[in-house]
Amino acid sequence: MTYYLGIDAGGTHTRARISDSEGRTLGAGEGGPANSRIGLALAIEAIEDASSAAVLSAGLGRGDVGRIRAGIGISGLNRKGVLKGLREHPFPYDSLAIASDAAIACLGAHLGQDGGIVIVGTGSVGFARVGDETVVVGGYGFPISDEGSGADLGLRAIRRSLWARDGRIAHTPMTQEIIDGFSGLAGEIVAWMDKANATDYAKFAPLVMDHANRGDPVAEPIVQEAALRIDRLIRVLLDRGAPTCCLMGGLAPRLHDWLAAGVRERLRAPMGDALQGAIQLAQLRGLPPGRAE
Amino acid sequence: MTYYLGIDAGGTHTRARISDSEGRTLGAGEGGPANSRIGLALAIEAIEDASSAAVLSAGLGRGDVGRIRAGIGISGLNRKGVLKGLREHPFPYDSLAIASDAAIACLGAHLGQDGGIVIVGTGSVGFARVGDETVVVGGYGFPISDEGSGADLGLRAIRRSLWARDGRIAHTPMTQEIIDGFSGLAGEIVAWMDKANATDYAKFAPLVMDHANRGDPVAEPIVQEAALRIDRLIRVLLDRGAPTCCLMGGLAPRLHDWLAAGVRERLRAPMGDALQGAIQLAQLRGLPPGRAE
């Protein structure tokens, strides 16, 4: 009996799922955050926690672990040393395949068939599998990339709120709410910024979306521009040969209605989730550990 | 005899100048960086180094220090605790007045008369004195503010270079040069970004300006947009009553030609520098230390 372990190692938490060779789910587990930015050792710990929990919940014993083929999708895989560090770690599985978080989301969304995905949450990225090729667009991180993401929405909204505070533009309900949130004090905004990361900026995204939906004259063009950026990511994937595309991530349901009509028409609902994709990855590339990719 | 000590405490270095009551320069000195972001203790050290050097070079003795009226202009004054910390420090002068770096630059540029300045270097800020009022526009720091600054130019250029690398837009000489500078590797760009601050982004500004001047189709609109933002800062100051405005800072000479014709007409060359402004500050507000502002 061969078992398949799929792991989705993300910035906020890590999830694992085990299935048998007929695709039946046997167990699942969770672990802490595994973003490569917080350090590879912690990421590996989160992966092992989630995997052990999944193995336990599947009722597998110590002797079964050697018959597991694992697939890991991890965010920030293009960070220096991450792939090497994961490959060198002595995971106990029969085989291990490693890919980006976007790659497993894409495999899951299209059940291994050709297709593209655009993930829009705290960050944004486009990814497609077309034949033997993979296409990656964006997703390099905030602030140099991740256009149209929650962090991007938040940054733009804060910028414009300061413009309104300065009298460069007129205040709107959104800019007023944001400035009031900092008690109107520039010093508080600066102190917040000094420690803010992408996740902190993205916390403003729901507020921006709410105001945009009510026609706030500052929020509306911010969301329209974000939608244009996401449109562009989708169109690049379609132009590069992806037959369809799925919009995924925390902001997807809210941004969907703002996309161009022609783009919305080409979108499909994902067929499976990222964990299903990680399991597909394990099946696709069941190489011995030494040759893991 | 009363002496006037002007101090310009900036992010890269601190300068001090001493003059007598007739405005003759007696001495000058330099110290390290004094940006409040790196810590108040270091800032105070840099201020004391520059001041001591100026006192020494003016040939003043220990007994003269108590007859010095000092004016300090410091960047990042709106950061929490900075003003309080400076006020509480036992500087040995007869009086001490504290203002932002923009305030002393404005005092110097207009020799204490009403007027505005826009500083555009690593960051950007607009500042004006109009009667008893001061007007501040922007300058809250990167990335939430400082539109049109060197850091802003650099960030936009890197963003668009990644778009070109992804195939979202066509490569231009500028995007190619930037991507080549990172050996074409996304991992290198991400690793750079993880440690990059505003100064690092601003290092790309000369490259962006060079390409814009040659008509690079990505660089040109980036610089045009920066110029629009700087135009806006200037216009806000004029609208708020500043009779004239000076464009200052490292990027000023290069951005000047890109500004709107109507804005360029309203610009004047500064009459004095920031140190002259700091000395003006000392003269304007020669209050005893306990009442220093």
Side-chain angles (χ1 to χ4, degrees):
Chain A
M1 186 70 172
T2 299
Y3 301 101
Y4 296 95
L5 170 65
I7 300 153
D8 179 12
T12 50
H13 63 293
T14 297
R15 297 176 307 147
R17 187 185 294 160
I18 288 186
S19 73
D20 63 19
S21 48
E22 274 142 54
R24 284 177 296 230
T25 296
L26 305 178
E30 297 226 354
N35 191 305
S36 58
R37 196 163 187 163
I38 63 173
L40 190 63
L42 282 172
I44 287 173
E45 198 181 307
I47 289 166
E48 290 186 328
D49 285 352
S51 301
S52 302
V55 167
L56 199 71
S57 103
L60 300 187
R62 187 173 284 271
D64 300 314
V65 173
R67 283 185 290 155
I68 291 176
R69 290 184 169 186
I72 296 179
I74 184 166
S75 62
L77 189 59
N78 58 3
R79 244 169 251 277
K80 229 174 181 168
V82 172
L83 184 58
K84 189 165 174 281
L86 285 173
R87 278 181 177 161
E88 285 172 358
H89 185 77
F91 288 105
Y93 315 117
D94 175 41
S95 69
L96 177 67
I98 302 166
S100 70
D101 52 342
I104 60 163
C106 188
L107 280 168
H110 301 284
L111 296 181
Q113 301 299 304
D114 280 4
I117 58 162
V118 168
I119 308 178
V120 53
T122 297
S124 71
V125 65
F127 185 97
R129 261 176 73 99
V130 182
D132 289 337
E133 276 190 61
T134 58
V135 181
V136 185
V137 193
Y140 304 104
F142 179 77
I144 60 167
S145 175
D146 293 38
E147 289 86 2
S149 67
D152 193 26
L153 282 179
L155 174 62
R156 285 168 187 274
I158 290 169
R159 263 186 186 264
R160 278 157 188 75
S161 299
L162 286 168
W163 296 2
R165 185 179 179 279
D166 286 345
R168 278 185 273 181
I169 58 173
H171 259 306
T172 69
M174 183 195 77
T175 62
Q176 197 65 62
E177 184 175 341
I178 289 178
I179 293 297
D180 289 349
F182 291 103
S183 317
L185 300 170
E188 270 202 25
I189 301 177
V190 174
W192 175 84
M193 176 185 69
D194 283 350
K195 292 178 184 156
N197 59 23
T199 310
D200 297 313
Y201 283 100
K203 282 177 187 150
F204 288 88
L207 179 157
V208 180
M209 293 295 321
D210 287 346
H211 282 285
N213 284 330
R214 281 182 223 125
D216 183 286
V218 168
E220 196 171 66
I222 289 175
V223 175
Q224 281 167 329
E225 191 173 341
L228 273 177
R229 304 289 190 209
I230 300 300
D231 280 347
R232 187 89 200 101
L233 291 180
I234 297 167
R235 283 192 201 281
V236 169
L237 299 180
L238 298 173
D239 289 350
R240 301 276 284 273
T244 64
C245 192
C246 303
L247 188 66
M248 310 172 79
L251 265 180
R254 301 207 63 176
L255 258 185
H256 178 271
D257 293 345
W258 293 78
L259 300 180
V263 166
R264 286 206 305 272
E265 263 173 31
R266 302 287 299 271
L267 294 177
R268 297 287 171 270
M271 289 190 276
D273 65 7
L275 279 174
Q276 215 158 331
I279 287 171
Q280 291 253 351
L281 178 73
Q283 291 169 338
L284 278 172
R285 302 154 138 195
L287 307 171
R291 293 177 53 210
E293 276 182 61
Chain B
M1 185 70 171
T2 299
Y3 301 102
Y4 296 95
L5 171 65
I7 299 152
D8 180 12
T12 51
H13 63 293
T14 297
R15 297 177 307 147
R17 186 185 295 162
I18 287 186
S19 72
D20 62 19
S21 48
E22 276 143 52
R24 284 179 295 232
T25 297
L26 304 178
E30 298 227 351
N35 191 305
S36 59
R37 195 163 188 162
I38 63 173
L40 190 63
L42 282 172
I44 287 173
E45 198 182 307
I47 289 166
E48 291 186 326
D49 285 350
S51 302
S52 303
V55 167
L56 199 71
S57 102
L60 300 186
R62 188 172 282 270
D64 300 313
V65 172
R67 286 186 288 153
I68 290 175
R69 290 184 168 186
I72 297 180
I74 184 165
S75 62
L77 189 60
N78 58 4
R79 242 169 253 278
K80 230 175 182 167
V82 171
L83 184 57
K84 189 164 173 280
L86 285 173
R87 277 181 178 161
E88 286 172 359
H89 184 77
F91 288 106
Y93 314 118
D94 175 41
S95 70
L96 177 67
I98 302 166
S100 70
D101 53 341
I104 59 163
C106 187
L107 280 169
H110 302 284
L111 295 182
Q113 301 299 303
D114 280 6
I117 57 162
V118 167
I119 307 178
V120 52
T122 298
S124 71
V125 65
F127 185 96
R129 258 176 76 97
V130 182
D132 290 336
E133 276 191 61
T134 58
V135 182
V136 185
V137 194
Y140 305 104
F142 179 78
I144 61 167
S145 174
D146 293 37
E147 290 84 3
S149 68
D152 193 25
L153 282 179
L155 175 61
R156 285 169 188 273
I158 290 169
R159 263 185 186 265
R160 278 158 187 74
S161 299
L162 286 168
W163 296 3
R165 185 180 179 278
D166 286 346
R168 278 186 272 181
I169 58 172
H171 258 306
T172 68
M174 184 196 75
T175 61
Q176 196 65 61
E177 184 176 340
I178 289 177
I179 292 297
D180 288 350
F182 290 104
S183 318
L185 301 170
E188 270 201 25
I189 302 177
V190 174
W192 174 85
M193 175 185 69
D194 282 350
K195 291 177 185 157
N197 59 23
T199 310
D200 297 313
Y201 283 99
K203 282 178 187 150
F204 288 89
L207 179 156
V208 180
M209 293 296 321
D210 287 345
H211 282 285
N213 285 329
R214 281 183 223 126
D216 183 287
V218 168
E220 197 171 66
I222 289 175
V223 174
Q224 282 167 330
E225 193 173 343
L228 274 176
R229 305 289 192 209
I230 299 301
D231 281 345
R232 188 90 200 101
L233 291 180
I234 297 167
R235 283 192 200 280
V236 170
L237 299 180
L238 298 172
D239 289 351
R240 301 277 285 273
T244 64
C245 193
C246 303
L247 188 66
M248 310 172 79
L251 264 179
R254 302 206 62 175
L255 259 185
H256 178 271
D257 294 343
W258 293 78
L259 300 179
V263 166
R264 285 206 305 271
E265 262 171 32
R266 303 286 299 271
L267 293 178
R268 297 287 171 269
M271 288 189 277
D273 65 7
L275 279 174
Q276 217 159 329
I279 287 172
Q280 291 253 350
L281 178 73
Q283 291 168 338
L284 278 173
R285 301 156 139 193
L287 309 170
R291 293 178 52 209
E293 276 182 60

